Amino acid sequence: MAAQCTPLLLLACVLALPAPHLTKSIQRLSLFNQSVLNNTVSSLTTLVNGQLWLVNGFNQCSGRVEVWYRNEWGTVCDDSWDMNDASVVCRQLGCGEAVSAPSNAYFGHGSGTIWLDDVNCNGDEELLAQCSMRPWGEHNCGHSEDAGVVCSETTLSPAPGWPKDCSEVPAGSPSGVYIIHPKGLHPIVVYCEMNMTDGGWTVIQRNRQSTEVTWAESWSTYKYGFGNVQTEYWLGTEYIHQISKQKVYQVRFVIWDAANNASFAEYSLFNVEDESQGYRLRLGTYSGSAGDAMASSSPSTMHDNMKFSAKDLDQDTYSGNCASSYGGGWWYSACYSVRLNVKGGMTWGSLCNGNCKASAILIKPTTYC
């Protein structure tokens, strides 16, 4: 097969700081370097506040309005919400004209912070953040009042210059927080690991034994992601699917064992199928030092080719609910040899059973020559 090499795109907003050089044998990845994470905060806050996306809609240009502020996605209250406000949202997203401005959580209840209330646009603004509104975070609403929009277009206009994944961030860029714009999605915020084995890795999960994230979340929360991109987080099963269908990807699982030594498991192919197929996981051939725990020889602990399960949507092969019993969403069979999405007791095969110190899952396109 011919080499598959995508030209690098110019990154509009580089939101990162330098990190040390790393190799396969690293003991600590820059993605767990706290000084890098702390120093990234100010850049991220300055450049990304006010970014929008639409959640739970009929297509990319309809859904519940969510806005990024202070490193967290939050919702907009429907007090005074009208077509002028919806027009600004559609314009900001490149989704054409506003068709309707649904209220009363028409697209489902959000979670977390309600960032905006009493939004009062005149309809001519380029950005929702330019409209008259209460101060950020000040409101008298509940999530039953989350605002939504329906726009005339069904797909987002591409953002010029934004990479589709971290492999399109220019070579030599530092590891850190970046904006990417996967094909068919709104722009999203991710962590790019740029130093390990030639860089270009998109981090879709990371967790630590000391995490404050519960991981025992619902299907919809796993679907759209949670946590803090600067510490522990799940990118979102839907976003992982959308990214993985753009190109042919490989995946690397990095595991820190009980002694805090890093090992890795790499699979030559990585794909997550769409939601109608249960976000089924497909992996290629294993290589690495951590052990082939994702493709266990036992059907009861297999993860390759399994559907994703959460505490409120059981798609495993067990008579019970593995996600509910063991604390987090994952590609369970009946039940696991790998458990990374959990508070505290992470497991990777025989490498560390309930006492792994940390984990990270990274993907990048595979190049065939």
Side-chain angles (χ1 to χ4, degrees):
M1 184 179 295
Q4 205 176 53
C5 300
T6 305
L8 296 174
L9 299 180
L10 175 64
L11 183 65
C13 300
V14 178
L15 311 177
L17 293 171
H21 178 71
L22 302 163
T23 66
K24 278 189 178 183
S25 61
I26 47 98
Q27 294 294 310
R28 173 185 287 176
L29 286 172
S30 62
L31 55 91
F32 278 110
N33 185 322
Q34 194 60 50
S35 63
V36 171
L37 299 178
N38 289 341
N39 288 330
T40 303
V41 176
S42 59
S43 298
L44 180 61
T45 302
T46 301
L47 296 175
V48 185
N49 281 347
Q51 180 185 334
L52 302 178
W53 67 16
L54 303 178
V55 178
N56 281 352
F58 314 123
N59 52 51
Q60 297 168 34
C61 289
S62 64
R64 181 176 65 249
V65 180
E66 298 206 354
V67 57
W68 178 266
Y69 185 68
R70 291 185 176 175
N71 309 316
E72 180 183 350
W73 288 106
T75 59
V76 179
C77 181
D78 64 10
D79 292 345
S80 304
W81 189 252
D82 60 19
M83 287 291 287
N84 283 342
D85 308 321
S87 293
V88 175
V89 171
C90 294
R91 181 179 302 116
Q92 181 172 341
L93 291 173
C95 281
E97 304 297 322
V99 175
S100 65
S103 57
N104 298 316
Y106 181 83
F107 291 105
H109 294 194
S111 60
T113 304
I114 298 172
W115 279 129
L116 300 181
D117 190 16
D118 291 331
V119 177
N120 186 16
C121 303
N122 62 33
D124 297 326
E125 296 89 348
E126 294 297 321
L127 304 172
L128 189 66
Q130 296 171 342
C131 300
S132 171
M133 63 184 72
R134 289 194 187 199
W136 287 83
E138 182 180 301
H139 65 88
N140 59 359
C141 305
H143 283 298
S144 61
E145 301 170 81
D146 286 344
V149 299
V150 176
C151 306
S152 59
E153 301 295 327
T154 58
T155 57
L156 297 169
S157 299
W162 281 346
K164 293 191 287 293
D165 60 28
C166 294
S167 74
E168 295 185 0
V169 174
S173 298
S175 296
V177 179
Y178 289 82
I179 300 171
I180 65 171
H181 193 178
K183 184 178 180 181
L185 274 179
H186 49 70
I188 59 176
V189 177
V190 299
Y191 194 97
C192 293
E193 173 50 53
M194 300 302 296
N195 299 301
M196 181 177 64
T197 48
D198 300 322
W201 295 90
T202 303
V203 180
I204 63 173
Q205 185 265 16
R206 61 181 174 193
N207 192 12
R208 283 189 268 205
Q209 193 176 52
S210 59
T211 183
E212 296 181 2
V213 177
T214 69
W215 294 94
E217 300 291 352
S218 67
W219 177 267
S220 62
T221 302
Y222 267 98
K223 180 176 179 177
Y224 295 111
F226 56 89
N228 188 328
V229 70
Q230 299 166 55
T231 54
E232 297 86 46
Y233 76 106
W234 178 252
L235 182 59
T237 327
E238 176 64 22
Y239 303 143
I240 296 169
H241 155 66
Q242 293 288 348
I243 293 171
S244 74
K245 76 176 187 178
Q246 298 183 116
K247 308 170 186 177
V248 179
Y249 284 83
Q250 59 185 308
V251 63
R252 172 171 289 188
F253 297 84
V254 185
I255 311 298
W256 285 261
D257 64 20
N260 210 30
N261 297 314
S263 300
F264 73 94
E266 192 166 295
Y267 294 86
S268 59
L269 297 174
F270 172 84
N271 179 260
V272 174
E273 297 180 352
D274 65 24
E275 188 173 18
S276 70
Q277 300 300 313
Y279 294 128
R280 189 185 297 276
L281 176 67
R282 305 289 191 182
L283 296 175
T285 303
Y286 164 81
S287 62
S289 57
D292 185 9
M294 291 295 289
S296 167
S297 59
S298 170
S300 64
T301 55
M302 175 69 70
H303 300 289
D304 186 19
N305 297 315
M306 294 295 109
K307 294 182 178 181
F308 196 87
S309 289
K311 64 181 183 181
D312 58 342
L313 184 53
D314 181 12
Q315 300 192 106
D316 60 42
T317 59
Y318 184 53
S319 58
N321 182 332
C322 296
S324 178
S325 299
Y326 295 105
W330 193 246
W331 294 282
Y332 290 107
S333 50
C335 278
Y336 68 89
S337 60
V338 172
R339 183 178 63 157
L340 302 182
N341 290 353
V342 64
K343 183 178 175 66
M346 289 177 284
T347 293
W348 183 276
S350 60
L351 180 68
C352 42
N353 188 357
N355 59 355
C356 304
K357 294 291 187 182
S359 69
I361 307 175
L362 312 89
I363 61 174
K364 70 182 293 186
T366 296
T367 299
Y368 292 99
C369 297

